[in-house]
Each structure stands twice: as C-alpha cells, then as structure tokens.
Amino acid sequence: MKILVIEDDADMREVIVRSLEAERYVVETAPDYSKARSKVFVYEYDCVLLDINLPGGSGLDLLRELEEAGRRRNVIIISANSSLEDKVTGLDLGADDYLAKPFEMAELLARIKSLLRRSTRDGEQSINCGNVRLHPDNFRVEVAGKPLELGRKEYDILHYFMTRAGRLVEKQTLAEAVWGDSIDQADNFDFIYAQVKNLRKRLADAGANIELKTVYGFGYKLIV
C-alpha cells in the first residue's frame, strides 16, 4: 500500500515516514503545495496524509481541485488547525478523516488502517480471492486454510492485485505502487517479471485457484 505524506515540517515528516515504513507501507512525500499537486495528479496512492498550511498554497485548495477533477483519494487531514470550521470544510471537500496536531503516531496508524479497511475491503479484516486469503494487519497469506510464506515484494504484489481483482494493471503502475514513484525512471521492468514469476510459482505449488495472467503489451490481471 502506498501513502503520500504532504507535510512541510521536516521533523514531523520524518517521524511519520519512519513510522509508516515500519508498518511496511510504501511512502512518498511532498513538502509544499506545488510538489503535492504534481504528485497527486500524476501518481496513484492508497492514502494521502494532508496538512492544510503548506508553503505555496492551502491543502484545502488541493482537496477542492481533486474533487473538481473527480480524482477521489483516501485523504486524512493532519493539521494544527483544529477549528470546527476547518474540519467541516475539509470533510465537505472530500477528506475522509481529520486528525489535529499534536497526535500520537499510534492513533494515526490506526486511522489509516481503518480507512484502508473500509475503502478496499468493505470493513472486513481479510481479503479473499478464490481459496486465497490475505490478512493485511499481520501480513499473513493462506491458501485453502494453509499458510503460504512469501517474500516482502511477493506479498506486496499479491496484496495489490487482490484489492484489484479482475482489473488490468499496467507494469509501470504496479512498479510505482510496490516500489515507489521514483521507479518510473527505471530502464526496464525485469525486476517485476522476476517477482511475478516467483509469486506465480509459489501460488501454483500451494494449490491456489487464482492466476496472475499476463496481458501482453499491457501488464497483468488477477483472475479467479
């Protein structure tokens, strides 16, 4: 899962990034309005943590632009502005939650997990496709009730596809989601082929009845 942290305070940004990476999220950052805007309109994120007071503009204006463009995001506002008016405005503009500074990282992490659980799996604790069950809260995978051991990136790829079963996914989109936005500078996607190949073999050996199908010239699709 990939999260964008839009926060101008370097110390706060570093604390948030370290905490998120410890929870195995892929994390991107933006320290000001301009960089935030360039990222949210180019890349896909599972969640955006948005400060309101940014150099160069307001986080509320960014929310407004996203709403007008129909580019829905899972947004949690993290702001020192704790006024009722700011909260109402942010929520009306499409934010999903609002957390006033200062806050405990444990609460932020809990809110992120809750939001992702609601948005990607209808509030369920696990994700199910065919006879494969994935438990995002503790990174476990089961095939027909039996544990399946996966490498870190293999798990991340499987998680990404199981939340998008049946959808065509471009190779570059997959790479950015699992390795981060900077991967768009890569010369080729051989590293993806290798990880997908290994994941396919592990799933097949475990008796999984789902398949990562190659759509030539485009990318992949998870089918049951």
Side-chain angles (χ1 to χ4, degrees), residues 27-216:
V27 186
E28 299 292 333
T29 64
D32 55 47
Y33 182 89
S34 177
K35 288 185 175 61
R37 191 179 187 281
S38 67
K39 281 184 173 290
V40 295
F41 280 98
V42 174
Y43 300 107
E44 295 291 329
Y45 299 97
D46 296 292
C47 182
V48 175
L49 304 182
L50 176 63
D51 192 8
I52 290 179
N53 297 319
L54 296 169
S58 167
L60 295 178
D61 289 336
L62 186 60
L63 265 179
R64 188 176 290 106
E65 288 190 67
L66 288 170
E67 187 71 15
E68 291 174 352
R71 297 179 67 89
R72 190 74 173 87
R73 295 289 188 272
N74 293 324
V75 177
I76 299 176
I77 293 176
I78 50 172
S79 177
N81 294 345
S82 58
S83 71
L84 177 60
E85 181 180 357
D86 284 332
K87 290 181 180 179
V88 171
T89 300
L91 295 171
D92 282 346
L93 288 174
D96 298 274
D97 203 349
Y98 193 113
L99 186 58
K101 299 176 183 176
F103 52 78
E104 295 292 334
M105 279 306 307
E107 181 177 4
L108 176 60
L109 293 172
R111 293 195 185 208
I112 292 171
K113 290 179 180 179
S114 177
L115 175 57
L116 294 176
R117 191 162 53 242
R118 295 195 307 270
S119 64
T120 62
R121 52 190 196 270
D122 298 324
E124 296 295 328
Q125 295 292 332
S126 62
I127 306 170
N128 303 300
C129 287
N131 64 352
V132 179
R133 174 173 290 182
L134 186 146
H135 302 269
D137 289 343
N138 53 21
F139 314 109
R140 291 189 299 111
V141 179
E142 299 170 353
V143 177
K146 297 181 180 179
L148 173 63
E149 296 296 326
L150 296 177
R152 166 72 181 272
K153 293 305 180 184
E154 293 167 354
Y155 171 90
D156 291 344
I157 291 170
L158 180 61
H159 187 185
Y160 187 82
F161 277 104
M162 286 184 65
T163 58
R164 296 161 177 82
R167 287 171 50 184
L168 289 173
V169 177
E170 290 182 333
K171 293 186 289 291
Q172 181 167 327
T173 301
L174 175 62
E176 291 167 0
V178 175
W179 279 270
D181 299 341
S182 60
I183 206 67
D184 62 5
Q185 305 300 317
D187 294 330
N188 60 61
F189 296 104
D190 290 346
F191 59 95
I192 293 181
Y193 304 142
Q195 293 287 350
V196 170
K197 179 180 178 181
N198 291 340
L199 176 57
R200 282 173 170 158
K201 184 176 187 306
R202 291 181 189 276
L203 289 171
D205 290 348
N209 60 3
I210 63 174
E211 177 186 356
L212 280 176
K213 181 180 179 181
T214 299
V215 181
Y216 291 99

